[in-house]
Amino acid sequence: MKASVKTLQQAIQYFSDEQVCIDAVAEMRWLGGKPVCPACEHTEHYWLASQKRWKCKECWKQFTVKLGTIFEDSPIPLTKWLPALWMVVNCKNGISSYELGRDLGVSQKSAWFMLHRLRLALQSGSVAKMGGPGGAVEADETFVGGKQANMHKDRRVRMQKARSEIRNEDAAGHIGKTAVMGILDRETRQMRAKVVPNVRRETLQAEVLKHVEHGSNVYTDDAGAYRDLPMDKFVHEVVDHAETYVRGQVHTNGLENFWSLLKRGLRGTYVAVEPFHLFRYVDEQVFRFNSRKDASGNRLSDRDRFTLALSQIAGKRLTFAEVTGKVGENQIN
Ligand SMILES: [Zn+2]
């Protein structure tokens, strides 16, 4: 992608040429942008210019740059997909299918479909554990939906307190709300979040055990659910929200930030989110959160974030360092 493409306006203009889009996806998919036949992995092909597809010299099968990606069976051209991706990863509070449809000149229904597909592709799917001996990890959960979204802050604090008292019951107070749990690795600034069926101890602790490496410092609020994390595996410290929000390192502010971004997006942008679809909005917001800064604290540009997302979607997962070219440096710009 041309270095001068930095803003949404420039991206829309740049990607208005289909060939430019094909080259951009090819570059993200294949080493050096050189196509590999999806059928036989051969690397020599004929380019059928009028059809914008390759024909493999080995197996004679034809393929486009979309084949084998999330764009594969969609009649929507890349000239719409790529600007859509730019918007999804760079609009802080998310983008609705109505806005996207208007901006791209497609129907709201098409835009809805595109958004869902892009969100699905943004799922990190990483299975590596977070934290590590001495590392700092936050674990927290929240409820989304229902009336809590409209609640005033101090009422919410009261609710949280009440909630911590009933949460070992059958979560009867949360009808109409969906629980989301998050884990944040403070060193790498990477987090994961998922919709959970409830906030019972076994559910939340299972997530900590699954995602956090033994020996990590785990910071949580005073929720009973985390109270007896296996102490031989984790160092567990608790912040009491009713008294103080920050006690040195012992806080869950990173995740609190994330929850407020998530809720702002849900409240402001999306007209209605069914609980069934919530996980996709969570994934989208997680992607944006995780690609704000690299591990050294350098802010990613919109262009970096787009490149990272496109590489992920096209099947070649780049690291931050590869995208920004800032390997191990502490650049300020
Ligand atoms: Zn082939």
PDB file of all heavy atoms in Angstrom, residues 138-159:
ATOM      1  N   GLU A 138      -4.825  -8.433  34.469  1.00  0.00           N
ATOM      2  CA  GLU A 138      -6.097  -8.052  35.094  1.00  0.00           C
ATOM      3  C   GLU A 138      -7.188  -9.002  34.625  1.00  0.00           C
ATOM      4  O   GLU A 138      -7.203  -9.405  33.461  1.00  0.00           O
ATOM      5  CB  GLU A 138      -6.492  -6.627  34.670  1.00  0.00           C
ATOM      6  CG  GLU A 138      -5.538  -5.553  35.133  1.00  0.00           C
ATOM      7  CD  GLU A 138      -5.933  -4.157  34.607  1.00  0.00           C
ATOM      8  OE1 GLU A 138      -7.099  -3.963  34.210  1.00  0.00           O
ATOM      9  OE2 GLU A 138      -5.058  -3.278  34.613  1.00  0.00           O
ATOM     10  N   ALA A 139      -8.088  -9.327  35.537  1.00  0.00           N
ATOM     11  CA  ALA A 139      -9.269 -10.114  35.154  1.00  0.00           C
ATOM     12  C   ALA A 139     -10.490  -9.392  35.695  1.00  0.00           C
ATOM     13  O   ALA A 139     -10.489  -8.917  36.833  1.00  0.00           O
ATOM     14  CB  ALA A 139      -9.178 -11.530  35.718  1.00  0.00           C
ATOM     15  N   ASP A 140     -11.510  -9.276  34.868  1.00  0.00           N
ATOM     16  CA  ASP A 140     -12.712  -8.555  35.305  1.00  0.00           C
ATOM     17  C   ASP A 140     -13.872  -8.973  34.413  1.00  0.00           C
ATOM     18  O   ASP A 140     -13.672  -9.544  33.344  1.00  0.00           O
ATOM     19  CB  ASP A 140     -12.482  -7.039  35.195  1.00  0.00           C
ATOM     20  CG  ASP A 140     -13.530  -6.243  35.979  1.00  0.00           C
ATOM     21  OD1 ASP A 140     -14.154  -6.803  36.911  1.00  0.00           O
ATOM     22  OD2 ASP A 140     -13.733  -5.058  35.651  1.00  0.00           O
ATOM     23  N   GLU A 141     -15.075  -8.678  34.881  1.00  0.00           N
ATOM     24  CA  GLU A 141     -16.228  -8.992  34.053  1.00  0.00           C
ATOM     25  C   GLU A 141     -17.233  -7.865  34.153  1.00  0.00           C
ATOM     26  O   GLU A 141     -17.177  -7.043  35.061  1.00  0.00           O
ATOM     27  CB  GLU A 141     -16.861 -10.324  34.473  1.00  0.00           C
ATOM     28  CG  GLU A 141     -17.578 -10.308  35.804  1.00  0.00           C
ATOM     29  CD  GLU A 141     -16.641 -10.152  36.993  1.00  0.00           C
ATOM     30  OE1 GLU A 141     -15.508 -10.649  36.931  1.00  0.00           O
ATOM     31  OE2 GLU A 141     -17.054  -9.524  37.990  1.00  0.00           O
ATOM     32  N   THR A 142     -18.127  -7.814  33.193  1.00  0.00           N
ATOM     33  CA  THR A 142     -19.136  -6.772  33.212  1.00  0.00           C
ATOM     34  C   THR A 142     -20.429  -7.311  32.613  1.00  0.00           C
ATOM     35  O   THR A 142     -20.444  -8.389  32.036  1.00  0.00           O
ATOM     36  CB  THR A 142     -18.637  -5.528  32.436  1.00  0.00           C
ATOM     37  OG1 THR A 142     -19.489  -4.418  32.747  1.00  0.00           O
ATOM     38  CG2 THR A 142     -18.687  -5.746  30.936  1.00  0.00           C
ATOM     39  N   PHE A 143     -21.484  -6.528  32.773  1.00  0.00           N
ATOM     40  CA  PHE A 143     -22.750  -6.903  32.144  1.00  0.00           C
ATOM     41  C   PHE A 143     -23.105  -5.889  31.074  1.00  0.00           C
ATOM     42  O   PHE A 143     -22.937  -4.692  31.259  1.00  0.00           O
ATOM     43  CB  PHE A 143     -23.868  -6.956  33.186  1.00  0.00           C
ATOM     44  CG  PHE A 143     -23.751  -8.161  34.068  1.00  0.00           C
ATOM     45  CD1 PHE A 143     -23.036  -8.102  35.258  1.00  0.00           C
ATOM     46  CD2 PHE A 143     -24.341  -9.365  33.689  1.00  0.00           C
ATOM     47  CE1 PHE A 143     -22.907  -9.219  36.054  1.00  0.00           C
ATOM     48  CE2 PHE A 143     -24.212 -10.482  34.487  1.00  0.00           C
ATOM     49  CZ  PHE A 143     -23.502 -10.416  35.666  1.00  0.00           C
ATOM     50  N   VAL A 144     -23.581  -6.387  29.961  1.00  0.00           N
ATOM     51  CA  VAL A 144     -23.920  -5.524  28.843  1.00  0.00           C
ATOM     52  C   VAL A 144     -25.397  -5.705  28.522  1.00  0.00           C
ATOM     53  O   VAL A 144     -25.927  -6.804  28.646  1.00  0.00           O
ATOM     54  CB  VAL A 144     -23.070  -5.908  27.609  1.00  0.00           C
ATOM     55  CG1 VAL A 144     -23.491  -5.109  26.405  1.00  0.00           C
ATOM     56  CG2 VAL A 144     -21.601  -5.687  27.901  1.00  0.00           C
ATOM     57  N   GLY A 145     -26.028  -4.606  28.134  1.00  0.00           N
ATOM     58  CA  GLY A 145     -27.446  -4.699  27.771  1.00  0.00           C
ATOM     59  C   GLY A 145     -28.318  -4.361  28.960  1.00  0.00           C
ATOM     60  O   GLY A 145     -27.839  -3.911  29.987  1.00  0.00           O
ATOM     61  N   GLY A 146     -29.606  -4.571  28.795  1.00  0.00           N
ATOM     62  CA  GLY A 146     -30.524  -4.246  29.873  1.00  0.00           C
ATOM     63  C   GLY A 146     -30.467  -2.770  30.174  1.00  0.00           C
ATOM     64  O   GLY A 146     -30.128  -1.958  29.330  1.00  0.00           O
ATOM     65  N   LYS A 147     -30.771  -2.420  31.382  1.00  0.00           N
ATOM     66  CA  LYS A 147     -30.846  -0.998  31.720  1.00  0.00           C
ATOM     67  C   LYS A 147     -29.512  -0.429  32.174  1.00  0.00           C
ATOM     68  O   LYS A 147     -29.357   0.760  32.258  1.00  0.00           O
ATOM     69  CB  LYS A 147     -31.875  -0.789  32.828  1.00  0.00           C
ATOM     70  CG  LYS A 147     -33.299  -0.917  32.314  1.00  0.00           C
ATOM     71  CD  LYS A 147     -34.269  -0.339  33.328  1.00  0.00           C
ATOM     72  CE  LYS A 147     -35.695  -0.663  32.976  1.00  0.00           C
ATOM     73  NZ  LYS A 147     -36.274  -1.687  33.834  1.00  0.00           N
ATOM     74  N   GLN A 148     -28.569  -1.315  32.490  1.00  0.00           N
ATOM     75  CA  GLN A 148     -27.336  -0.826  33.093  1.00  0.00           C
ATOM     76  C   GLN A 148     -26.611   0.192  32.209  1.00  0.00           C
ATOM     77  O   GLN A 148     -25.930   1.077  32.709  1.00  0.00           O
ATOM     78  CB  GLN A 148     -26.391  -1.978  33.400  1.00  0.00           C
ATOM     79  CG  GLN A 148     -25.489  -1.625  34.569  1.00  0.00           C
ATOM     80  CD  GLN A 148     -24.516  -2.733  34.909  1.00  0.00           C
ATOM     81  OE1 GLN A 148     -24.463  -3.762  34.255  1.00  0.00           O
ATOM     82  NE2 GLN A 148     -23.745  -2.515  35.932  1.00  0.00           N
ATOM     83  N   ALA A 149     -26.814   0.051  30.904  1.00  0.00           N
ATOM     84  CA  ALA A 149     -26.154   0.960  29.977  1.00  0.00           C
ATOM     85  C   ALA A 149     -26.570   2.409  30.207  1.00  0.00           C
ATOM     86  O   ALA A 149     -25.794   3.330  29.985  1.00  0.00           O
ATOM     87  CB  ALA A 149     -26.473   0.551  28.544  1.00  0.00           C
ATOM     88  N   ASN A 150     -27.787   2.628  30.671  1.00  0.00           N
ATOM     89  CA  ASN A 150     -28.268   3.992  30.868  1.00  0.00           C
ATOM     90  C   ASN A 150     -28.052   4.499  32.290  1.00  0.00           C
ATOM     91  O   ASN A 150     -28.490   5.578  32.643  1.00  0.00           O
ATOM     92  CB  ASN A 150     -29.768   4.062  30.565  1.00  0.00           C
ATOM     93  CG  ASN A 150     -30.074   3.507  29.202  1.00  0.00           C
ATOM     94  OD1 ASN A 150     -29.337   3.763  28.261  1.00  0.00           O
ATOM     95  ND2 ASN A 150     -31.139   2.730  29.091  1.00  0.00           N
ATOM     96  N   MET A 151     -27.384   3.669  33.070  1.00  0.00           N
ATOM     97  CA  MET A 151     -27.313   3.974  34.488  1.00  0.00           C
ATOM     98  C   MET A 151     -26.287   5.055  34.824  1.00  0.00           C
ATOM     99  O   MET A 151     -25.227   5.131  34.218  1.00  0.00           O
ATOM    100  CB  MET A 151     -26.902   2.688  35.190  1.00  0.00           C
ATOM    101  CG  MET A 151     -27.677   2.401  36.419  1.00  0.00           C
ATOM    102  SD  MET A 151     -27.127   0.806  36.992  1.00  0.00           S
ATOM    103  CE  MET A 151     -28.421  -0.220  36.354  1.00  0.00           C
ATOM    104  N   HIS A 152     -26.595   5.880  35.774  1.00  0.00           N
ATOM    105  CA  HIS A 152     -25.660   6.886  36.249  1.00  0.00           C
ATOM    106  C   HIS A 152     -24.522   6.193  36.996  1.00  0.00           C
ATOM    107  O   HIS A 152     -24.714   5.126  37.581  1.00  0.00           O
ATOM    108  CB  HIS A 152     -26.387   7.859  37.181  1.00  0.00           C
ATOM    109  CG  HIS A 152     -25.603   9.095  37.437  1.00  0.00           C
ATOM    110  ND1 HIS A 152     -24.861   9.278  38.574  1.00  0.00           N
ATOM    111  CD2 HIS A 152     -25.419  10.196  36.680  1.00  0.00           C
ATOM    112  CE1 HIS A 152     -24.258  10.438  38.511  1.00  0.00           C
ATOM    113  NE2 HIS A 152     -24.581  11.014  37.383  1.00  0.00           N
ATOM    114  N   LYS A 153     -23.342   6.837  36.991  1.00  0.00           N
ATOM    115  CA  LYS A 153     -22.164   6.142  37.482  1.00  0.00           C
ATOM    116  C   LYS A 153     -22.264   5.662  38.937  1.00  0.00           C
ATOM    117  O   LYS A 153     -21.943   4.516  39.247  1.00  0.00           O
ATOM    118  CB  LYS A 153     -20.925   7.025  37.321  1.00  0.00           C
ATOM    119  CG  LYS A 153     -19.646   6.242  37.554  1.00  0.00           C
ATOM    120  CD  LYS A 153     -18.419   7.086  37.380  1.00  0.00           C
ATOM    121  CE  LYS A 153     -17.194   6.317  37.865  1.00  0.00           C
ATOM    122  NZ  LYS A 153     -16.036   7.150  38.032  1.00  0.00           N
ATOM    123  N   ASP A 154     -22.724   6.540  39.840  1.00  0.00           N
ATOM    124  CA  ASP A 154     -22.707   6.099  41.245  1.00  0.00           C
ATOM    125  C   ASP A 154     -23.759   5.016  41.504  1.00  0.00           C
ATOM    126  O   ASP A 154     -23.606   4.171  42.374  1.00  0.00           O
ATOM    127  CB  ASP A 154     -22.847   7.276  42.229  1.00  0.00           C
ATOM    128  CG  ASP A 154     -24.082   8.093  41.984  1.00  0.00           C
ATOM    129  OD1 ASP A 154     -24.887   7.723  41.118  1.00  0.00           O
ATOM    130  OD2 ASP A 154     -24.250   9.114  42.661  1.00  0.00           O
ATOM    131  N   ARG A 155     -24.781   5.055  40.682  1.00  0.00           N
ATOM    132  CA  ARG A 155     -25.757   3.989  40.811  1.00  0.00           C
ATOM    133  C   ARG A 155     -25.157   2.664  40.341  1.00  0.00           C
ATOM    134  O   ARG A 155     -25.414   1.601  40.898  1.00  0.00           O
ATOM    135  CB  ARG A 155     -26.993   4.316  39.961  1.00  0.00           C
ATOM    136  CG  ARG A 155     -28.197   3.592  40.494  1.00  0.00           C
ATOM    137  CD  ARG A 155     -29.427   3.857  39.672  1.00  0.00           C
ATOM    138  NE  ARG A 155     -30.214   2.643  39.650  1.00  0.00           N
ATOM    139  CZ  ARG A 155     -30.987   2.277  38.665  1.00  0.00           C
ATOM    140  NH1 ARG A 155     -31.090   3.023  37.602  1.00  0.00           N
ATOM    141  NH2 ARG A 155     -31.666   1.167  38.735  1.00  0.00           N
ATOM    142  N   ARG A 156     -24.308   2.809  39.326  1.00  0.00           N
ATOM    143  CA  ARG A 156     -23.662   1.613  38.797  1.00  0.00           C
ATOM    144  C   ARG A 156     -22.728   1.003  39.837  1.00  0.00           C
ATOM    145  O   ARG A 156     -22.632  -0.208  39.970  1.00  0.00           O
ATOM    146  CB  ARG A 156     -22.891   1.991  37.535  1.00  0.00           C
ATOM    147  CG  ARG A 156     -22.835   0.892  36.513  1.00  0.00           C
ATOM    148  CD  ARG A 156     -22.483   1.449  35.166  1.00  0.00           C
ATOM    149  NE  ARG A 156     -21.196   2.119  35.160  1.00  0.00           N
ATOM    150  CZ  ARG A 156     -20.947   3.226  34.479  1.00  0.00           C
ATOM    151  NH1 ARG A 156     -21.871   3.787  33.765  1.00  0.00           N
ATOM    152  NH2 ARG A 156     -19.755   3.771  34.535  1.00  0.00           N
ATOM    153  N   VAL A 157     -22.037   1.892  40.566  1.00  0.00           N
ATOM    154  CA  VAL A 157     -21.138   1.403  41.610  1.00  0.00           C
ATOM    155  C   VAL A 157     -21.939   0.658  42.682  1.00  0.00           C
ATOM    156  O   VAL A 157     -21.552  -0.425  43.131  1.00  0.00           O
ATOM    157  CB  VAL A 157     -20.326   2.563  42.232  1.00  0.00           C
ATOM    158  CG1 VAL A 157     -19.545   2.095  43.454  1.00  0.00           C
ATOM    159  CG2 VAL A 157     -19.387   3.165  41.197  1.00  0.00           C
ATOM    160  N   ARG A 158     -23.075   1.248  43.032  1.00  0.00           N
ATOM    161  CA  ARG A 158     -23.940   0.563  44.001  1.00  0.00           C
ATOM    162  C   ARG A 158     -24.413  -0.787  43.474  1.00  0.00           C
ATOM    163  O   ARG A 158     -24.429  -1.776  44.184  1.00  0.00           O
ATOM    164  CB  ARG A 158     -25.165   1.431  44.336  1.00  0.00           C
ATOM    165  CG  ARG A 158     -24.894   2.557  45.325  1.00  0.00           C
ATOM    166  CD  ARG A 158     -26.170   2.959  46.070  1.00  0.00           C
ATOM    167  NE  ARG A 158     -27.288   3.276  45.181  1.00  0.00           N
ATOM    168  CZ  ARG A 158     -27.460   4.476  44.595  1.00  0.00           C
ATOM    169  NH1 ARG A 158     -26.595   5.443  44.780  1.00  0.00           N
ATOM    170  NH2 ARG A 158     -28.497   4.697  43.813  1.00  0.00           N
ATOM    171  N   MET A 159     -24.747  -0.769  42.188  1.00  0.00           N
ATOM    172  CA  MET A 159     -25.188  -2.003  41.547  1.00  0.00           C
ATOM    173  C   MET A 159     -24.102  -3.064  41.591  1.00  0.00           C
ATOM    174  O   MET A 159     -24.345  -4.231  41.839  1.00  0.00           O
ATOM    175  CB  MET A 159     -25.513  -1.736  40.062  1.00  0.00           C
ATOM    176  CG  MET A 159     -26.910  -1.363  39.767  1.00  0.00           C
ATOM    177  SD  MET A 159     -28.027  -2.752  39.910  1.00  0.00           S
ATOM    178  CE  MET A 159     -27.511  -3.750  38.513  1.00  0.00           C
TER     179      MET A 159
END
